[in-house]
Amino acid sequence: MPVALWALAIGGFGIGLTEFVIMGLLPEVAADFGVTESVAGYLISGYALSVAVGAIGLTAALTRVDRKKALLGLMVLFIAGNLLSAVAPTYEVMLLGRVVAALCHGAFFGIGAVVAADLVAPEKRAGAISIMFAGLTIANVLGVPFGTFLGQAAGWRATFWAITAIGVVALAGIALLVPSRVGSPDGVPAPGEPTAPRADRASGSTGLRGELAAFRSAQVWFSIAITVLGFGGMFGAFTYIAFTLTEVGGFTSASVPWLLVLFGGGLFVGNLVGGRAADRRLGTTLVVLFAALTVVLGVFALTATSQVMTVVSLVLMGAFGFATVPGLQMRVMSYAQAAPTLASGANIAAFNVGNALGAWIGGLTIAAGLGFTSPLWAGAAMTAVGLVVLLVAVTARGGEWSRGARPTPEDAVVAPAPEAPAAV
C-alpha cells in the first residue's frame, strides 16, 4: 500500500483521539472551569453535532478545491481547534475549540476516503480506506488510554497540546507524501491527464452541482440508510456498555477500561479484515457482516451474565461492527463515482446520525425499565432492519446481486473512466 495512506491514517488517529479522549478527562475539565458534569458533557455532544454539520457543509464548500489542498486546509483547522482547546481560558473558548476541530472531522474522512481509494488499484480501494480508518481504531485502542493518562498526570491541557503536535505531523505527512495526481476535484483531470470531452464537462460533473447529482441514485440513499441503521445499532449498544459490564456482567469499574481496550482491538482487526473482504465481494461481505453483527448482539444480550461470554461478545461486537465501515464507505462512493466527495462526506455524517439515533433508542429502553441488556437488543433490532434494507438494495436494480452487478447509468451517476470499481 502507498505510504501516503499512512499520512492519512495519522490524521485519522489525531481526529479519533480528539473525539474520544475527552471522555476520560471530563472530571478534570469540569473542575478546572468550575462547571457541572452535565455542562462539561456538551464538549462531547457539541463535537458530535459539529461533525455531522462539517461532514456535509464543509465538504460541499470544498467541492471545487483540489483534494490535497482541501485535506491540508482541514488539518490546519484541526490544529487550530485543538490549539484553542489547549490554551482556552474559559469553558466557552474550550467549547469553541472543540467545535472548530469537529468541523474538519467529517470532511477529512469524507474527502480522505476518496483520496485513499484513488491511491490504489480499483480492486484494493476498500482496503485502502480501511488503512485510513485504522488511525481512528488505533486512537481507541492506544491513544485514548495514554491520552487520558497524560491528562491525569500532567493536566488535561497537555493532552490537547499532544494532539496539536499530532496534527502538525499529519499536516507535514500529507503535504510531503500525498501525490498531486489524486488531488483534483471531482470531474477535473489531474495534471498530465487528458481533459474530459466537452459533453462530459457540460454534464455537471464538476463542482457542487455535479456532487448533488450523485444523490439522484437510489443506491446512494440506500447506502446512507444502511450506514445509519447498521452502525447505529452497534454504537447504541456500545454507548451503555459500561452499565452492561458492571451491572449485568459483574465486572468492577476498574476493569472496564481494560475491557474497552479489548473492544478497541476488535475494532482494529475488524476494520482491516473487513476492508480486504469488501474488495473481493462488496455486497456479500456487507450482508455477512450485518447478519453476524445481529447475531453477536443477540447472543451478547442473552449471555451478558457470563463474564467469559461477555469478553468474547465484546471483542466480536467491535470486530464485526467496524468491519462494515470500509465497505459502507466504498459502497456509497461506488454509486457516486463521477462525483463521490459529497456523497462520501454525507455517509460520514450518516455514521454520526446513526450514533446519535442508536444512543437515543438505547436510552429509551433503559428508561422504560427494560434493564441494561436492552440496548443490546435494541442494537440487534436496528442492525436487523439495516440488514433487510441492505438485502433490498443489493437485489434492486443496479445492486450488487442484480443482473448487472454494478451501477448502471440509469441507476447511478457513473464516471466514464475505465478504472471504476469492479463488479461484485
Side-chain angles (χ1 to χ4, degrees):
M1 288 289 185
V3 68
L5 290 173
W6 297 107
L8 297 176
I10 293 172
F13 174 77
I15 291 172
L17 194 55
T18 299
E19 180 177 16
F20 297 114
V21 78
I22 189 66
M23 297 176 185
L25 298 175
L26 274 187
E28 288 79 9
V29 173
D32 195 8
F33 289 128
V35 298
T36 64
E37 290 82 357
S38 60
V39 171
Y42 294 148
L43 296 173
I44 298 174
S45 57
Y47 185 98
L49 180 62
S50 300
V51 169
V53 172
I56 298 177
L58 202 52
T59 303
L62 294 172
T63 53
R64 287 191 176 274
V65 178
D66 177 278
R67 289 184 191 143
K68 179 177 179 177
K69 292 179 180 178
L71 289 175
L72 292 172
L74 291 169
M75 286 312 304
V76 169
L77 191 66
F78 171 80
I79 293 168
N82 283 286
L83 181 60
L84 191 59
S85 294
V87 302
T90 65
Y91 169 81
E92 290 75 17
V93 176
M94 172 72 171
L95 180 59
L96 176 61
R98 293 284 293 167
V99 169
V100 170
L103 287 174
C104 84
H105 181 130
F108 180 87
F109 281 113
I111 296 172
V114 178
V115 171
D118 284 350
L119 285 168
V120 298
E123 66 275 9
K124 296 181 179 180
R125 286 177 173 173
I129 293 172
S130 74
I131 289 179
M132 183 189 69
F133 278 101
L136 185 63
T137 61
I138 293 172
N140 277 278
V141 180
L142 299 176
V144 171
F146 282 108
T148 301
F149 174 78
L150 175 62
Q152 292 173 344
W156 64 266
R157 295 180 188 274
T159 298
F160 284 93
W161 279 112
I163 296 172
T164 302
I166 292 170
V168 172
V169 173
L171 178 69
I174 293 169
L176 294 174
L177 300 176
V178 175
S180 298
R181 66 180 177 83
V182 297
S184 299
D186 295 337
V188 178
E193 292 183 353
T195 303
R198 179 174 298 274
D200 293 331
R201 286 182 281 125
S203 66
S205 64
T206 61
L208 182 57
R209 183 179 178 183
E211 296 285 346
L212 291 173
F215 291 90
R216 292 199 302 262
S217 167
Q219 288 290 352
V220 168
W221 288 106
F222 271 133
S223 297
I224 290 172
I226 293 163
T227 295
V228 170
L229 292 166
F231 204 74
M234 191 275 285
F235 195 85
F238 176 68
T239 300
Y240 304 96
I241 198 66
F243 296 104
T244 307
L245 295 173
T246 57
E247 301 297 327
V248 182
F251 290 95
T252 64
S253 297
S255 65
V256 170
W258 299 107
L259 291 169
L260 295 184
V261 169
L262 294 177
F263 174 80
L267 296 182
F268 179 76
V269 174
N271 173 61
L272 295 180
V273 174
R276 291 172 183 170
D279 275 325
R280 297 187 185 97
R281 295 188 64 84
L282 178 57
T284 300
T285 294
L286 287 175
V287 169
V288 170
L289 290 175
F290 267 64
L293 179 59
T294 302
V295 171
V296 166
L297 290 171
V299 170
F300 195 171
L302 289 172
T303 61
T305 55
S306 165
Q307 292 191 345
V308 173
M309 286 302 299
T310 292
V311 171
V312 173
S313 297
L314 190 64
V315 173
L316 291 179
M317 184 176 80
F320 286 120
F322 220 87
T324 64
V325 173
L328 289 171
Q329 197 67 17
M330 191 65 237
R331 190 176 200 278
V332 76
M333 290 164 54
S334 296
Y335 285 96
Q337 291 170 9
T341 306
L342 186 56
S344 179
N347 205 51
I348 296 296
F351 280 113
N352 286 273
V353 171
N355 293 351
L357 180 62
W360 177 67
I361 293 175
L364 289 180
T365 64
I366 293 175
L370 299 178
F372 290 114
T373 59
S374 59
L376 293 167
W377 287 117
M382 280 188 70
T383 307
V385 174
L387 175 61
V388 172
V389 176
L390 175 59
L391 289 170
V392 171
V394 297
T395 55
R397 186 182 184 190
E400 290 89 342
W401 293 355
S402 68
R403 52 180 174 78
R406 65 181 301 166
T408 65
E410 293 82 15
D411 298 316
V413 180
V414 183
E419 61 193 25
V424 292

